[in-house]
Amino acid sequence: MTGFLDSIEGLSFSTWVGESKSIWAYPTILWLHVMGMGVVAGLSSVIGLRLLGISPKMPVQPLERLYPLIWAGFWVNAATGTALLMASATKRAVDPLFYIKMVFIFAGVFLLQRTRKKVFQNLGPDGEVPGSAKALAWASLVCWLGAVTAGRLLAYI
């Protein structure tokens, strides 16, 4: 596995991301990753907090319009996260925190889809949310908090 990770890290793109003095390399890719993370975790949290009862006068149904933005942020994060991983593959791909982060992300994405299917497609006639909404909201909030925390710890541990 070490040879494979060395070869990924040795690619010219990986070297450019990790070692270039250009503002368009590591700084911009990391900035885009942070912005994507903010969109995904932030908008998912808006949905989750509303489902938990925060701002009860705000209707739930219009929040479904946030999903395309969440997916845009997710794909920005997938692309930039791959680039960042490639730049330090020998360090990150062997770190258990990286895999913890990935589990939280995959679980968070699953919960986003589950929430859309179980909550937004099953709203009551007056916009009341199904009983499962709070459990999905709590789980989603935990997942995105876990993903963000694990991602930040990767940079420092």
Side-chain angles (χ1 to χ4, degrees):
M1 176 112 162
T2 305
F4 175 68
L5 296 176
D6 282 332
S7 66
I8 290 174
E9 207 170 286
L11 294 171
S12 58
F13 176 74
S14 305
T15 303
W16 175 77
V17 170
E19 298 176 18
S20 174
K21 301 291 184 208
S22 170
I23 192 169
W24 301 111
Y26 190 84
T28 299
I29 292 170
L30 183 60
W31 180 80
L32 287 169
H33 195 69
V34 170
M35 292 299 108
M37 174 181 49
V39 168
V40 174
L43 294 180
S44 297
S45 295
V46 166
I47 292 170
L49 291 170
R50 174 56 193 93
L51 294 177
L52 289 173
I54 303 295
S55 192
K57 292 182 182 179
M58 179 195 317
V60 173
Q61 185 63 48
L63 294 176
E64 189 173 17
R65 288 186 239 153
L66 296 177
Y67 275 84
L69 293 170
I70 292 170
W71 281 113
F74 172 80
W75 288 113
V76 166
N77 262 25
T80 57
T82 299
L84 294 170
L85 176 63
M86 290 174 66
S88 59
T90 57
K91 184 177 179 185
R92 302 288 180 236
V94 297
D95 191 333
L97 268 175
F98 173 75
Y99 296 100
I100 291 168
K101 175 184 172 178
M102 291 295 104
V103 167
F104 278 126
I105 290 169
F106 288 123
V109 168
F110 169 79
L111 290 165
L112 273 171
Q113 288 300 96
R114 190 89 172 141
T115 300
R116 193 170 196 184
K117 184 176 184 179
K118 294 291 183 182
V119 175
F120 287 99
Q121 294 176 2
N122 293 307
L123 290 174
D126 292 330
E128 64 269 356
V129 297
S132 62
K134 286 190 178 189
L136 288 169
W138 276 116
S140 179
L141 288 168
V142 167
C143 284
W144 293 118
L145 179 63
V148 170
T149 302
R152 293 313 313 139
L153 289 174
L154 269 173
Y156 300 110
I157 295 179

